[in-house]
Amino acid sequence: MDELLMIMVLGLVVIALATAVGPRVGIAAPLVLVVLGVLASLIPIIGSVTIEPEWILAGVLPPLLYSSAVSMPAMNFRRDLGAISGLSVLLVVASSLLLGLFFTLVFPGLGFAWGVALGAVVSPTDAVATSIIRQMPVSKRVVAMLDGEGLFNDATALVLLRNAIAAAAASFSFWGTIGTFAYSVVVAVLIGAFVGWLNLVVRSRVTDPTVNTVLSFTVPFFASVPAEVLDASGLVAAVVAGIVTGFRAPRRLAPQHRLSDAQNWRTIELVLEGTVFLTMGIQLKSIVSNVEQDHAGVWSAVLIAVGALVLTVLVRAAYVFPLLGSLSRHARRSQAARPRLEGMQQRIQTPEGQQATLDRMNARGPRKRSLGDLDRFATRITRGLADIDYFVRQPLGRREGVIVVWAGMRGAVTVAAAQTLPADTPQRSVLVLVAFAVAALSLLLQGGTIGPVVRRMTPPVDPSAVDEHADAERVRLMGLLRASTESVTKPAQQEGVSRREQFAAEKDYRLAVLTAQRSALLDARDDGTFDADVLEDALATLDADQIAIEMRGVFAR
């Protein structure tokens, strides 16, 4: 017991040191932790360590994916939902089938079904591993696509893995697999959305920030566990709960609660991410020992893993570059439609234009349109113009394609999924080693070189252009905040009232102003009319101001 406790304490120290020292020496912390884990597995006192895969898949991944989903800009996710869906589903399916054919050829007697099962294990990128890219000067659109892909592609891979195992034992049904996947995703989305909504309803009534944060730690499991019980994807349920929470929390939760959540969840992320990579490296010795006990070749498995990794990169490149080309053509068509949208926006700003637009809308259908329908139509136009501006500012070309391809790293999910293969799987120990080698090589080769790749592929930025855009954003933001401030009536000065009453009135006014400003910023966020980072900083400033005002009121009493 004492040895286990000491190992856990040392593990936390190693995670903290790797996180602090890794960036200073130009190496991402996950890579440092994997290497340290491999070295630790060679220490006799630690011996062979086997981590139950369910601890990773059901215990560690749901909170990690939930936390990532909470912090992901929902508007950027919506804008590239089609591309993210393709990367999360079509690319995983194509990679699994091609890898299945490859593994069938290099493992005599394995069979195509087991080959596809291993292909499904190796195919998905790791959301935790791709977190490396967030620390680099990469297009926000690229980061949104990689984040979205990493959050959802595990569901596709695990459904394929389950069906491939079933096909190996009985027979394969194409439509049965489609139905299973659709059921898994739809049920998970419904459960995740409900849990995310219920989470905000309950926590909005809890006044203690500490208790509120403790409740937030349970949300990913309240989403993932029921989904798994119903044979749906627990990971997708946790992600959807996180998206709902992140999108609605600024309107439902007090600033103190959200600040407490952010600080504590950052700590949880650090510990869990570090644990994932550290335990991944520590398992190397036990995985190799199992292969040796089965009298199989370790180095031949590593060589097969190299071939599998090369194939995954090639398949990814063959899918990503046409995808980005299609997105670029869509952006150009959207840009060509800008004058028409701007004209429509100008027309509905006048009473005459509003009536004319309503008349045209009524002429197209049997249902009589109202001013509410016109407001929704105006909102769609605003969002459409904001999307066009976003696509222009964040283009996707060859540079971005190379980064998207090379940043698609495998990680601990691959190792954990491989260890869920049944005990009667042909050459199971070798397949697990291949999966581990693919994940480790991907992290070390792709993760270790992604920095130089990003620097080489990123074009020189004109500082004056960046400053000009930032200045324009700040001017528009200040105008929005000023207009929302003017919408709040300032209380008149009253004679004969005490200083306490004057202070209370001033406090109420300032809180009302902050509420109006926050509402305006969140409406702008929903419309996508400002950069996500600019809005996040502005909302954080409002939260800090509100906390200061409320604390001042507490001390004044």
Side-chain angles (χ1 to χ4, degrees):
M1 185 66 182
D2 291 340
E3 290 181 356
L4 178 61
L5 183 61
M6 184 56 65
I7 289 174
M8 292 174 61
V9 172
L10 288 176
L12 292 176
V13 172
V14 168
I15 291 171
L17 289 176
T19 304
V21 175
R24 295 186 179 182
V25 297
I27 303 176
L31 308 183
V32 176
L33 290 169
V34 170
V35 173
L36 290 177
V38 171
L39 295 176
S41 69
L42 304 178
I43 300 176
I45 191 175
I46 294 180
S48 295
V49 177
T50 301
I51 307 295
E52 285 295 327
E54 288 303 316
W55 280 108
I56 302 296
L57 295 175
V60 174
L61 282 182
L64 272 178
L65 298 183
Y66 168 84
S67 180
S68 297
V70 167
S71 59
M72 183 175 62
M75 187 56 61
N76 293 352
F77 174 77
R78 176 193 66 78
R79 284 164 168 158
D80 282 310
L81 180 59
I84 291 171
S85 300
L87 290 169
S88 303
V89 179
L90 298 180
L91 179 57
V92 172
V93 172
S95 300
S96 299
L97 295 176
L98 290 172
L99 284 167
L101 181 60
F102 170 75
F103 290 132
T104 303
L105 295 175
V106 297
F107 285 113
L110 180 65
F112 183 66
W114 289 116
V116 173
L118 183 57
V121 166
V122 172
S123 294
T125 58
D126 193 297
V128 182
T130 53
S131 63
I132 296 173
I133 201 70
R134 296 181 206 150
Q135 307 164 14
M136 299 179 181
V138 178
S139 163
K140 296 180 180 66
R141 195 174 178 190
V142 169
V143 173
M145 291 175 63
L146 291 171
D147 278 346
E149 177 192 12
L151 290 176
F152 286 102
N153 61 8
D154 293 328
T156 306
L158 293 178
V159 169
L160 278 175
L161 173 61
R162 190 184 309 161
N163 280 273
I165 293 174
S171 59
F172 174 76
S173 169
F174 173 79
W175 292 112
T177 301
I178 297 295
T180 300
F181 176 75
Y183 170 84
S184 176
V185 172
V186 170
V187 172
V189 168
L190 293 176
I191 292 175
F194 174 74
V195 170
W197 169 81
L198 184 63
N199 153 51
L200 294 175
V201 170
V202 172
R203 291 172 59 203
S204 63
R205 290 166 169 76
V206 177
T207 57
D208 189 325
T210 304
V211 175
N212 208 294
T213 299
V214 171
L215 290 176
S216 76
F217 294 154
T218 67
V219 175
F221 300 106
F222 273 120
S224 63
V225 172
E228 291 292 343
V229 170
L230 295 175
D231 290 329
S233 172
L235 299 182
V236 170
V239 169
V240 173
I243 292 174
V244 172
T245 300
F247 187 73
R248 297 294 302 172
R251 297 187 188 271
R252 299 298 301 270
L253 299 183
Q256 295 93 329
H257 297 173
R258 287 184 277 110
L259 179 62
S260 176
D261 278 5
Q263 292 173 338
N264 288 284
W265 271 102
R266 275 197 293 269
T267 303
I268 295 295
E269 278 190 40
L270 175 65
V271 173
L272 291 182
E273 284 184 4
T275 301
V276 163
F277 291 110
L278 195 59
T279 56
M280 178 181 164
I282 287 177
Q283 294 180 83
L284 174 62
K285 186 175 181 180
S286 65
I287 292 173
V288 172
S289 298
N290 291 336
V291 174
E292 292 175 341
Q293 289 173 7
D294 293 341
H295 304 289
V298 173
W299 291 110
S300 61
V302 173
L303 185 61
I304 291 172
V306 172
L309 179 60
V310 171
L311 184 58
T312 60
V313 174
L314 292 177
V315 173
R316 186 174 179 84
Y319 182 87
V320 166
F321 283 107
L323 171 66
L324 297 194
S326 174
L327 293 175
S328 297
R329 289 190 295 273
H330 173 71
R332 288 194 293 271
R333 288 194 299 269
S334 299
Q335 177 69 359
R338 179 200 289 272
R340 183 171 61 87
L341 290 176
E342 290 176 341
M344 296 168 64
Q345 186 180 54
Q346 291 175 0
R347 279 197 301 273
I348 60 177
Q349 290 175 353
T350 64
E352 297 80 5
Q354 292 175 1
Q355 187 58 53
T357 303
L358 273 177
D359 291 341
R360 280 195 295 271
M361 293 171 67
N362 288 325
R364 294 176 182 173
R367 186 172 69 87
K368 184 174 177 58
R369 305 289 178 168
S370 64
L371 289 177
D373 295 313
L374 186 62
D375 289 340
R376 286 187 287 274
F377 180 64
T379 299
R380 288 199 297 270
I381 293 176
T382 301
R383 292 182 180 178
L385 289 171
D387 290 350
I388 292 172
D389 290 337
Y390 174 78
F391 294 146
V392 170
R393 292 197 312 270
Q394 306 286 341
L396 295 174
R398 184 179 62 87
R399 298 184 182 90
E400 290 74 23
V402 171
I403 294 173
V404 170
V405 170
W406 200 242
M409 290 167 275
R410 278 67 189 165
V413 175
T414 293
V415 178
Q419 292 173 327
T420 64
L421 291 171
D424 60 350
T425 302
Q427 306 180 61
R428 181 181 185 278
S429 60
V430 179
L431 301 188
V432 174
L433 177 58
V434 169
F436 177 91
V438 169
L441 289 170
S442 175
L443 279 173
L444 295 176
L445 294 178
Q446 294 175 257
T449 58
I450 188 65
V453 169
V454 169
R455 287 192 293 271
R456 182 176 181 81
M457 299 305 299
T458 302
V461 178
D462 183 3
S464 61
V466 174
D467 293 341
E468 182 179 347
H469 174 69
D471 291 342
E473 286 274 278
R474 281 192 290 269
V475 169
R476 290 197 303 120
L477 184 65
M478 293 306 298
L480 179 65
L481 295 176
R482 192 178 303 110
S484 58
T485 301
E486 293 171 353
S487 68
V488 180
T489 303
K490 188 171 185 178
Q493 293 291 336
Q494 298 180 3
E495 297 182 0
V497 297
S498 64
R499 288 188 59 188
R500 182 182 295 274
E501 291 173 329
Q502 290 179 357
F503 176 81
E506 179 65 21
K507 175 189 171 184
D508 291 342
Y509 168 71
R510 293 180 65 184
L511 290 177
V513 168
L514 290 176
T515 300
Q517 290 178 337
R518 182 179 293 109
S519 179
L521 290 179
L522 291 175
D523 289 343
R525 178 204 65 179
D526 296 347
D527 292 339
T529 52
F530 286 94
D531 182 82
D533 292 338
V534 172
L535 281 178
E536 184 179 355
D537 292 342
L539 288 168
T541 301
L542 294 185
D543 288 347
D545 290 344
Q546 182 169 337
I547 293 172
I549 291 172
E550 291 175 344
M551 291 302 297
R552 183 182 172 193
V554 170
F555 290 127
R557 287 196 297 268

